[in-house]
């Protein structure tokens, strides 16, 4: 089990290193800050937490698609960068994956993220923060394990939740657009918040 975790950690770090080598990291542009200025800077609000990896054997060989990791990291940055909970940030990724599996939406991660008028917080010019890239890769690995038949992979958002709205500090996940019946965070989280 330890060998599998080490292999997955190496795979995730490889993806992060590739992203770091290929992506321009900006340091002071307007795109470096989330749009909400009432909650302080990203560093003030959210301290990085360790990403726990699934304990499965099948995900050790899986290396997430770098373009998907990059787009999801930018989505987390724009939609949940100031949210102080890793679990809630991971839920943004699960929402995208829920859409991939739902026949009402496109079939790939990139098509879902880039669909017109869907994620107002996504901008392809946003930076790829390492903590968000690692979180995106972790969720993709958990999703893959779930699709391969594993149970209890660390899903933080049920499959029927395909929408969310934000209030500047938190995102509220729903099964239908503009619904007021929000998810109550009833699943056990694999992350330390």
């Amino acid at each position: 089990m330890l060998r599998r975790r080490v292999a997955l950690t190496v795979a995730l770090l490889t993806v992060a290193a590739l992203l770091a080598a290929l992506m321009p990291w900006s340091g002071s542009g307007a795109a470096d800050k989330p749009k909400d200025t009432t909650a302080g800077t990203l560093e003030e609000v959210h301290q990085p937490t360790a990403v726990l990896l699934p304990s499965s054997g099948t995900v050790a060989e899986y290396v997430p698609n770098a373009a998907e990791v990059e787009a999801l990291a930018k989505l987390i940055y724009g939609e949940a960068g100031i949210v102080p909970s890793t679990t809630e940030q991971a839920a943004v990724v699960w929402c995208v994956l829920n859409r991939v599996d739902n026949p009402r939406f496109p079939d790939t991660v990139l098509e879902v993220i880039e669909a017109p008028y869907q994620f107002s917080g996504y901008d392809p010019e946003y930076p790829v923060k390492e903590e968000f890239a690692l979180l995106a890769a972790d969720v993709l690995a958990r999703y893959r394990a779930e699709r391969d038949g594993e149970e209890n992979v660390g899903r933080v958002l049920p499959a029927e939740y395909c929408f969310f709205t934000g209030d500047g500090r938190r995102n509220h996940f729903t099964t239908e657009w503009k619904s007021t019946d929000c998810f109550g965070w009833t699943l056990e989280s694999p992350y330390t918040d």
Side-chain angles (χ1 to χ4, degrees):
M1 184 180 302
L2 180 59
R3 185 181 292 167
R4 292 178 182 144
R5 285 184 183 216
V6 169
L8 183 55
T9 301
V10 168
L12 291 174
L13 291 174
T14 301
V15 169
L18 287 171
L19 288 172
L22 297 174
M23 290 302 305
W25 294 86
S26 26
S28 61
D32 287 1
K33 304 257 187 286
K35 303 282 187 223
D36 184 324
T37 57
T38 62
T41 66
L42 178 63
E43 290 74 24
E44 292 170 346
V45 175
H46 178 71
Q47 296 300 317
T49 57
V51 175
L52 302 178
L53 303 174
S55 61
S56 83
T58 59
V59 294
E61 297 82 28
Y62 174 68
V63 177
N65 177 288
E68 291 179 352
V69 170
E70 176 186 320
L72 288 166
K74 291 177 180 184
L75 181 68
I76 295 169
Y77 181 89
E79 293 285 10
I82 61 171
V83 172
S85 165
T86 304
T87 300
E88 292 181 42
Q89 291 172 342
V92 170
V93 178
W94 281 108
C95 184
V96 169
L97 299 173
N98 290 348
R99 287 184 179 200
V100 168
D101 290 340
N102 188 308
R104 297 184 295 173
F105 300 98
D107 296 332
T108 71
V109 169
L110 296 176
E111 289 174 329
V112 166
I113 291 173
E114 295 170 353
Y117 312 111
Q118 295 303 303
F119 295 104
S120 62
Y122 173 74
D123 187 331
E125 299 301 316
Y126 279 157
V128 177
K129 298 271 186 181
E130 182 180 12
E131 69 181 281
F132 298 153
L134 289 172
L135 180 59
D138 180 67
V139 173
L140 286 168
R142 291 172 189 280
Y143 173 72
R144 173 68 175 260
E146 185 177 78
R147 293 191 82 188
D148 287 346
E150 291 191 38
E151 296 179 11
N152 303 317
V153 298
R155 175 183 274 278
V156 299
L157 187 70
E160 63 271 16
Y161 288 84
C162 294
F163 302 93
F164 67 89
T165 57
D167 62 14
R169 295 195 88 31
R170 301 271 185 212
N171 288 323
H172 308 283
F173 295 85
T174 59
T175 57
E176 294 298 326
W177 177 239
K178 294 193 177 184
S179 172
T180 57
D181 186 20
C182 297
F183 177 59
W185 303 106
T186 55
L187 298 179
E188 185 177 332
S189 176
Y191 306 104
T192 56
D193 284 332

